[in-house]
């Protein structure tokens, strides 16, 4: 059995980072909204309370029942979690006179405490709160301060309940991983056994038990997620897995045939379905990004429904949904934070489709999916492929979609991606692609005036897609790529490079 950590989400922008940091310690973590905690708490070996945009002093502040947790399980309160435990146990939390945000340094560290094992005096931490803990509860012991925050860390006597005003999960807390390790391993006594091999073993076993001898339809995209999902399912149910690769008319140049060829030899049962005309007809005249996503998602489901009827007794639809998809679509697993955008493979099936959903990767981040793939000996050529959005070029063509626009963007994208490979830049970039903008600009070719399309190139570095920064590609590469696009792609006379990070921008433009 794996040790499991429960993270109660109060709506912090950093909650998902807590989950990632715990998993980096090879301990499984699961995030649940504070107002919908699991009914069975016995399966969790430790609990972490996240930060929150709320104030504990507000009437509508999150107020969960911790009677089955505090004093009974190792408990760590982070920021709001610390304020909550102080406020509702006899301490005093007040609005801070100064904004406590940004870098700070720990002082007066209680070194005899295992919580601060190997943490050095002056260690940098990251603060992000408007309230401050003025007085600790009577049964609490101060563990550390900063220059501006006296009660930066404390614990409750006689129990493994620890509280910190700073965020150990963020990059700016330089020894944050060590602090989490101290709490989870040295205090809670958890074992570091959640590895890719262990995930494969438990997932395959769970899929066998869940699916049995039922037949499963899986929509392959050619990307990392669906490929790893397919291999996991193949390990579990073998010939009962029926993979479908759909050409939605929004794939990269030559991708439909290339991907089908790449899957040959992997032992998977794959069928190619060219539904490009169906998708383009459904998208005709639609320019709203959310509506385009939903149309693409709907037609995918319709195609799979049609194909499922050709597979006798198919009972399940498998999807390569991963954790960031779920987070961005359902508001931090149902918590208070904001929904960013819908994902075509998240949110269930229509009533008319009599298939149950199975999503073997839905609790994994992208980098974890790749590690799982390597543990199953999937080749680096497949695992190293850049992420490509499910709606494909449909969300890289801003405005309405036509076959002509798709053809233009396919050529631009082909030049850009091939150029990255030729210059040895492809593996240094996490994701790259081109966007066709809904504007024309004036240009000059020869002695003639042109009024043609503008395209934007985008390349980012990231680990999981939750945050990303733009890649500083060489000017010489951008210059050559721009010239080649303008000279070889009719209808384009201007190329720009996107230097926005996520946040505030997203990786895709729609």
């Amino acid at each position: 059995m794996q040790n499991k950590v429960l993270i109660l989400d109060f709506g912090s922008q950093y909650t998902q980072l807590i989950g990632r940091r715990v998993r980096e310690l090879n301990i499984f973590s699961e995030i649940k909204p504070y107002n919908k905690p699991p009914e069975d708490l016995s399966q969790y070996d430790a609990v972490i309370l996240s930060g929150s945009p709320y104030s504990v002093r507000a009437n509508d502040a999150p107020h969960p029942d911790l009677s089955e947790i505090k004093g009974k399980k190792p408990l760590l309160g982070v920021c709001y979690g610390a304020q909550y435990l102080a406020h509702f146990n006899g301490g005093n939390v007040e609005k801070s006179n100064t904004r406590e945000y940004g870098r700070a340094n720990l002082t007066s560290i209680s070194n005899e405490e295992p919580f601060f094992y190997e943490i050095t005096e002056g260690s940098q931490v990251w603060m992000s709160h408007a309230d401050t803990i003025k007085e600790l509860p009577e049964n609490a012991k101060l563990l550390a301060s900063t220059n501006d925050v006296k009660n930066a860390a404390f614990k409750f006597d006689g129990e493994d309940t620890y509280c910190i005003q700073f965020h150990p999960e963020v990059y700016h807390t330089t020894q944050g991983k060590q602090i989490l390790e101290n709490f989870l391993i040295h205090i809670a006594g958890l074992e570091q056994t959640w590895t890719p091999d262990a995930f494969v073993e438990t997932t395959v076993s769970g899929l066998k038990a869940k699916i049995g001898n039922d037949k499963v339809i899986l929509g392959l995209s050619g990307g990392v997620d669906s490929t790893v999902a397919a291999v996991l399912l193949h390990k579990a149910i073998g010939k009962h897995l029926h993979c479908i690769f759909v050409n939605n008319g929004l794939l990269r140049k030559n991708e439909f045939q290339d991907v089908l060829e790449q899957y040959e030899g992997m032992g998977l049962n794959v069928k190619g379905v060219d539904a490009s005309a169906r998708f383009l007809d459904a998208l005709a005249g639609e320019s709203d990004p959310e509506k385009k996503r939903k149309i693409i998602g709907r037609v995918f489901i319709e195609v799979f429904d049609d194909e499922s009827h050709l597979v006798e007794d198919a009972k399940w639809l498998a999807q390569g949904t991963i954790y960031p998809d779920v987070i961005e679509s359902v508001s931090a697993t149902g918590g208070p934070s904001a929904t960013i955008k819908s994902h075509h493979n998240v949110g269930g099936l229509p009533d008319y489709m009599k298939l149950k959903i199975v999503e073997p990767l839905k609790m994994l981040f992208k980098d974890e999916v790749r590690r799982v793939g390597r543990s199953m000996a999937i080749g680096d050529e497949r695992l190293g492929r850049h992420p490509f959005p499910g709606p494909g070029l449909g969300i890289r063509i801003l405005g309405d979609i036509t076959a002509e626009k798709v053809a233009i963007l396919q050529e631009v994208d082909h030049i850009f991606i091939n150029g990255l490979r030729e210059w040895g830049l492809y593996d240094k970039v996490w994701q790259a692609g081109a966007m066709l903008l809904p504007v024309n600009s004036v240009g000059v070719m020869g002695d003639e005036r042109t009024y043609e399309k503008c395209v934007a190139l985008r390349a980012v570095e990231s680990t999981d897609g939750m945050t990303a920064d733009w890649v500083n590609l060489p000017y010489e590469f951008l210059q050559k790529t721009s010239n080649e696009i303008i000279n070889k792609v009719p209808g384009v006379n201007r190329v720009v490079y996107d230097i926005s990070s996520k946040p505030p921008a997203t990786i895709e433009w729609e």
Side-chain angles (χ1 to χ4, degrees), residues 205-477:
S205 175
L207 289 170
K208 286 180 178 178
K210 183 175 185 176
I211 298 170
N213 291 320
D214 292 347
K215 293 179 180 178
V216 178
I217 306 289
L218 168 64
L220 281 174
S221 69
V224 176
D225 304 333
S226 66
T227 300
V228 174
V231 174
L232 275 170
L233 283 158
H234 185 70
K235 281 180 173 289
I237 62 174
K239 64 182 181 181
H240 295 298
L241 174 64
H242 295 260
C243 300
I244 300 168
F245 179 44
V246 175
N247 181 6
N248 61 4
L250 304 167
L251 302 176
R252 285 175 158 153
K253 183 179 180 181
N254 302 327
E255 186 169 21
F256 184 54
Q257 192 58 43
D258 289 347
V259 169
L260 286 175
E261 291 175 0
Q262 288 174 358
Y263 278 124
E264 290 180 4
M266 291 183 67
L268 300 175
N269 177 20
V270 182
K271 177 183 179 181
V273 178
D274 187 355
S276 53
R278 187 168 175 176
F279 279 87
L280 291 175
D281 286 346
L283 288 164
E286 184 56 66
S287 59
D288 180 83
E290 274 295 285
K291 290 180 180 177
K292 287 196 295 185
R293 283 179 174 272
K294 292 184 184 300
I295 289 170
I296 293 168
R298 171 178 59 78
V299 179
F300 261 118
I301 294 298
E302 292 172 355
V303 172
F304 288 136
D305 187 44
D306 291 344
E307 292 299 322
S308 70
H309 289 117
L310 303 178
V311 180
E312 188 176 354
D313 295 327
K315 300 288 181 64
W316 298 84
L317 173 65
Q319 298 187 134
T321 309
I322 63 173
Y323 213 12
D325 297 339
V326 175
I327 293 164
E328 292 190 337
S329 294
V330 298
S331 203
T333 63
S337 31
T339 298
I340 297 170
K341 60 189 175 185
S342 65
H343 285 262
H344 78 282
N345 58 343
V346 179
L349 297 174
D351 292 338
Y352 69 80
M353 193 171 185
K354 307 304 180 184
L355 294 176
K356 296 175 284 187
I357 288 182
V358 57
E359 299 170 311
L361 307 177
K362 70 177 183 179
M363 295 302 293
L364 297 185
F365 290 95
K366 177 69 77 173
D367 56 320
E368 294 172 326
V369 174
R370 286 195 169 101
R371 288 200 292 270
V372 167
R374 289 190 182 95
S375 76
M376 296 189 297
I378 298 176
D380 284 339
E381 179 184 357
R382 176 58 44 203
L383 293 177
R385 183 181 187 268
H386 288 178
F388 188 64
L393 302 181
I395 58 170
R396 293 183 176 178
I397 298 172
L398 278 66
D400 69 314
I401 298 171
T402 66
E404 180 186 10
K405 290 180 180 179
V406 173
I408 289 173
L409 189 55
Q410 283 177 331
E411 293 298 330
V412 171
D413 178 87
H414 186 70
I415 291 170
F416 183 34
I417 298 301
N418 279 359
L420 289 171
R421 288 194 172 101
E422 290 170 3
W423 281 61
L425 298 168
Y426 186 86
D427 292 333
K428 299 177 182 179
V429 171
W430 191 77
Q431 184 172 345
M435 320 295 161
L436 183 63
L437 306 187
V439 295
N440 284 15
S441 67
V442 174
V444 177
M445 290 188 179
D447 294 324
E448 296 186 7
R449 175 186 184 274
T450 62
Y451 190 59
E452 296 178 329
K453 295 293 184 185
C454 174
V455 294
L457 306 182
R458 179 105 161 110
V460 299
E461 53 187 1
S462 180
T463 55
D464 53 31
M466 297 301 296
T467 61
D469 203 1
W470 61 280
V471 177
N472 189 3
L473 295 176
Y475 283 139
E476 295 81 5
F477 167 78

Side-chain angles (χ1 to χ4, degrees), residues 57-183:
R57 301 174 295 106
N59 293 330
D60 60 347
H63 191 7
D65 179 9
L66 300 179
S67 59
E68 295 302 311
I69 297 175
K70 186 177 180 295
K72 298 180 180 179
K73 292 180 181 290
L75 175 63
L76 174 62
V78 175
C79 197
Y80 178 91
Q83 294 172 357
Y84 179 87
L85 291 170
H87 181 73
F88 289 103
N89 287 281
N92 180 30
V93 177
E94 297 179 2
K95 184 175 179 60
S96 177
N97 293 328
T98 59
R99 190 181 185 209
E100 295 175 352
Y101 181 86
R103 293 173 178 83
N105 299 95
L106 292 178
T107 61
S108 306
I109 295 175
S110 183
N111 290 317
E112 70 274 10
E113 271 292 332
F115 188 77
F116 281 123
Y117 173 69
E118 291 192 347
I119 304 301
T120 56
E121 187 78 9
S123 180
Q124 179 180 287
V125 297
W126 183 262
M127 296 285 188
S128 180
H129 54 268
D131 290 344
T132 194
I133 302 170
K134 288 291 187 182
E135 296 179 20
L136 297 180
E138 288 187 3
N139 61 333
K141 173 187 175 183
L142 180 65
L143 299 183
S145 304
T146 69
N147 290 335
D148 297 320
V149 180
K150 178 182 178 182
N151 300 309
F154 60 96
K155 71 162 291 189
F156 284 82
D157 295 330
E159 57 188 83
D160 289 332
T161 299
Y162 291 79
C163 302
I164 50 179
Q165 272 283 257
F166 55 89
H167 290 270
E169 69 273 24
V170 302
Y171 170 80
H172 303 86
T173 298
T174 53
Q175 293 184 288
K177 186 176 181 180
Q178 181 66 51
I179 291 172
L180 289 172
E181 180 177 329
N182 291 343
F183 171 69

